Amino acid sequence: MKEPKPKSTLVVGDKLELETLRLARGGKAVGRTSDGQVVFVVGAAPGEAVRAIVTAVSSRFIEAKMTEVVTPSVTRVSAPCPVVDECGGCPWQHVAYDEQVRQKDAILRDTMKRGRAFDDGEMTKFADFVASELHFHYRSRVTLQARPRGGTYDLGYHKRESHTFVPISDCLIADKTLVPFAREHVAKQVSKNLKVRDRFQVAVNDAGVLSIGGAFTQVNRAQNAILQKLVSDHVVAHAMEKRQILHWHLLDLYSGNGNLMFPVIEALRRARPQGVVEATGVEMAEASVAEASKNPRAQQCSFNIESVDSWLARQKAGAVSLLTKKGLPLDEILILDPPRDGVGQTVMPLLARRKPSLIVYVSCDPATLARDLVRFREATEKQKTKYEVVEARGLDMFPQTDHIEAFVVLRRKNI
Ligand SMILES: C[S@@+](CC[C@H](N)C(=O)[O-])C[C@H]1O[C@@H](n2cnc3c(N)ncnc32)[C@H](O)[C@@H]1O
């Protein structure tokens, strides 16, 4: 029988000294007290001795805020942002970039293993984490807060996990044009006596055009181009293997503005010019679907403004026919790119029934990715189908933060 863990004797406000081991999801460093209790420390780097003050105690762990570095980690650097602690949006700015990438890779692998999404064999399918060339000023879209002050407005962010307004003069991870553009926008609104929203989004597109508002777009354009290429390469490699197939249905769930769908279609058409590619996108945000439908590359693509859960439930039960209406062999390729919450509970079982031949699951939260892959495996067991992992890989879309982007490619066996 497992020994019950000793109840913490520490209380909020207590001081402690400890060594941190690694970084964790949530942006904090992890260490243990001398009697083995897990402590998450805000502001510490991995592998350093720190003094900290306890901020919360639960039955499973303690939370603390670093007050002093006793022996700094070799990976500690000085954080360049003047409001890094007040804002909390970049909790890893004090850690050297290479180390941030190493820690993200470790968290991703650990989450897949502990979450039982991958067995030991599947863990060997991890490819190298793709670091971002830009470490700062990479974000092409930010959501700012505006608060009235002295006839104009201060711009800022909400402090992480709170509603406290933190004024900023610049943001070191935003594209350099965004904050000045937001300031200009506010000045114009004020001069015309128009309302300034207390929260608004500013974005810059690939052509350098700035805008206020708008729907979801991937924030790191250079890393997004790499993601598009990696996903397309996997789809093409799969299509090149099965020479007898000449008709593909690309199902893009959580398709946004077609960011992944269009490059994949193009790559597939280039690689197998004699084939036919049809695509279906499913996306809840009307503005994103409007943008996708306007795209000149949208021929033979249909878009549905609907939740993935309800769209899938409306489709006919069972596997997608493996033949086209003309009796030719058909292959369904699935791209999934849900928000951080992952997919709804009914989605993986419904996908298992469709039996796509290739699945590329792009995720921005390893925990929900692991949970969904387990649900998928359980559902495929019921369908008596098996999928193998072709590749898993992390990609840094969000330097200086603890956010992790990753994708997993699964291929149906014996098809
Ligand atoms: C991570 S984004 C990916 C978008 C797109 N694949 C891309 O690369 O830009 C997730 C998208 O899912 C959409 N979304 C969120 N929940 C949804 C749901 N239940 N059904 C359909 N779309 C949803 C959001 O509007 C957002 O566009």
Side-chain angles (χ1 to χ4, degrees):
M1 223 172 72
K2 250 186 166 179
E3 288 278 315
K5 274 200 184 144
K7 201 169 171 315
S8 176
T9 49
L10 288 165
V11 293
V12 172
D14 278 355
K15 292 180 179 141
L16 51 108
E17 196 168 321
L18 78 161
E19 266 181 43
T20 54
L21 305 166
R22 58 184 172 81
L23 294 174
R25 284 194 297 127
K28 294 157 190 154
V30 193
R32 280 185 190 273
T33 59
S34 49
D35 60 354
Q37 294 175 74
V38 175
V39 188
F40 290 96
V41 193
V42 177
E48 65 187 3
V50 296
R51 293 201 177 94
I53 185 158
V54 174
T55 53
V57 178
S58 78
S59 57
R60 288 170 43 233
F61 56 82
I62 290 162
E63 288 187 69
K65 186 171 169 12
M66 191 190 75
T67 51
E68 192 188 335
V69 181
V70 179
T71 315
S73 160
V74 290
T75 68
R76 179 171 276 280
V77 294
S78 130
C81 176
V83 292
V84 67
D85 293 333
E86 291 81 354
C87 167
C90 294
W92 291 1
Q93 255 189 39
H94 61 285
V95 179
Y97 182 67
D98 289 355
E99 183 64 13
Q100 293 180 23
V101 171
R102 219 183 58 75
Q103 294 284 333
K104 285 190 186 187
D105 193 28
I107 293 170
L108 173 62
R109 289 171 194 245
D110 185 59
T111 310
M112 300 308 274
K113 190 147 200 235
R114 278 177 193 244
R116 296 179 195 281
F118 282 3
D119 61 23
D120 289 345
E122 289 166 333
M123 289 299 292
T124 66
K125 301 294 172 133
F126 264 104
D128 289 347
F129 205 94
V130 186
S132 172
E133 236 169 72
L134 279 180
H135 301 171
F136 289 98
H137 295 298
Y138 59 84
R139 277 196 78 105
S140 58
R141 178 171 59 83
V142 292
T143 301
L144 293 167
Q145 305 285 331
R147 296 290 177 275
R149 191 170 64 90
T152 180
Y153 285 78
D154 278 339
L155 292 178
Y157 288 120
H158 269 168
K159 184 180 171 72
R160 185 171 173 149
E161 290 165 16
S162 98
H163 284 98
T164 308
F165 175 72
V166 180
I168 58 157
S169 55
D170 193 8
C171 170
L172 298 188
I173 59 168
D175 185 285
K176 286 184 178 163
T177 57
L178 292 181
V179 177
F181 180 67
R183 219 172 270 122
E184 256 173 54
H185 163 74
V186 168
K188 264 193 213 153
Q189 296 292 98
V190 170
S191 71
K192 291 183 193 161
N193 265 331
L194 293 173
K195 184 178 161 56
V196 174
R197 298 174 76 119
D198 56 7
R199 177 177 189 269
F200 63 91
Q201 179 175 284
V202 262
V204 56
N205 71 9
D206 289 348
V209 178
L210 287 146
S211 59
I212 302 288
F216 177 89
T217 50
Q218 299 283 358
V219 295
N220 186 328
R221 282 179 284 157
Q223 290 299 91
N224 182 47
I226 295 175
L227 175 67
Q228 289 172 325
K229 166 103 175 56
L230 290 171
V231 173
S232 303
D233 286 353
H234 275 289
V235 171
V236 166
H238 174 73
M240 295 305 273
E241 245 178 52
K242 302 202 304 173
R243 304 299 301 183
Q244 78 282 13
I245 304 273
L246 273 174
H247 199 128
W248 296 273
H249 179 235
L250 181 69
L251 177 59
D252 185 3
L253 301 180
Y254 311 88
S255 49
N257 60 7
N259 174 58
L260 295 174
M261 176 198 276
F262 293 131
V264 167
I265 294 175
E266 262 177 5
L268 197 48
R269 286 187 180 143
R270 222 177 302 125
R272 301 288 307 273
Q274 66 284 47
V276 177
V277 187
E278 285 175 50
T280 304
V282 185
E283 163 62 50
M284 230 160 61
E286 222 168 290
S288 300
V289 173
E291 198 183 321
S293 313
K294 270 196 301 201
N295 193 303
R297 297 177 290 180
Q299 324 92 344
Q300 288 178 293
C301 300
S302 72
F303 295 99
N304 302 273
I305 308 171
E306 188 170 352
S307 92
V308 163
D309 316 56
S310 80
W311 184 86
L312 276 174
R314 285 195 301 106
Q315 307 309 301
K316 280 197 207 100
V320 171
S321 162
L322 293 177
L323 296 178
T324 66
K325 284 184 194 127
K326 289 185 182 156
L328 299 168
L330 171 92
D331 209 24
E332 181 162 84
I333 293 172
L334 171 69
I335 298 174
L336 273 171
D337 183 11
R340 253 178 235 166
D341 288 349
V343 307
Q345 194 150 12
T346 56
V347 169
M348 284 319 207
L350 289 168
L351 290 177
R353 283 160 71 173
R354 288 182 79 87
K355 303 189 170 90
S357 64
L358 189 79
I359 301 177
V360 184
Y361 187 142
V362 180
S363 157
C364 47
D365 183 347
T368 54
L369 171 66
R371 178 204 67 195
D372 291 343
L373 290 179
V374 169
R375 281 185 188 158
F376 184 67
R377 189 177 54 229
E378 287 166 3
T380 55
E381 278 160 11
K382 286 193 190 133
Q383 298 296 326
K384 306 214 174 350
T385 48
K386 260 196 176 349
Y387 283 77
E388 61 187 341
V389 176
V390 179
E391 186 177 89
R393 188 165 204 163
L395 182 113
D396 197 14
M397 287 274 191
F398 315 102
Q400 317 306 333
T401 81
D402 53 309
H403 297 302
I404 303 175
E405 185 86 5
F407 67 83
V408 172
V409 183
L410 300 173
R411 178 171 51 199
R412 208 176 115 201
K413 276 185 160 178
N414 310 320
I415 42 171

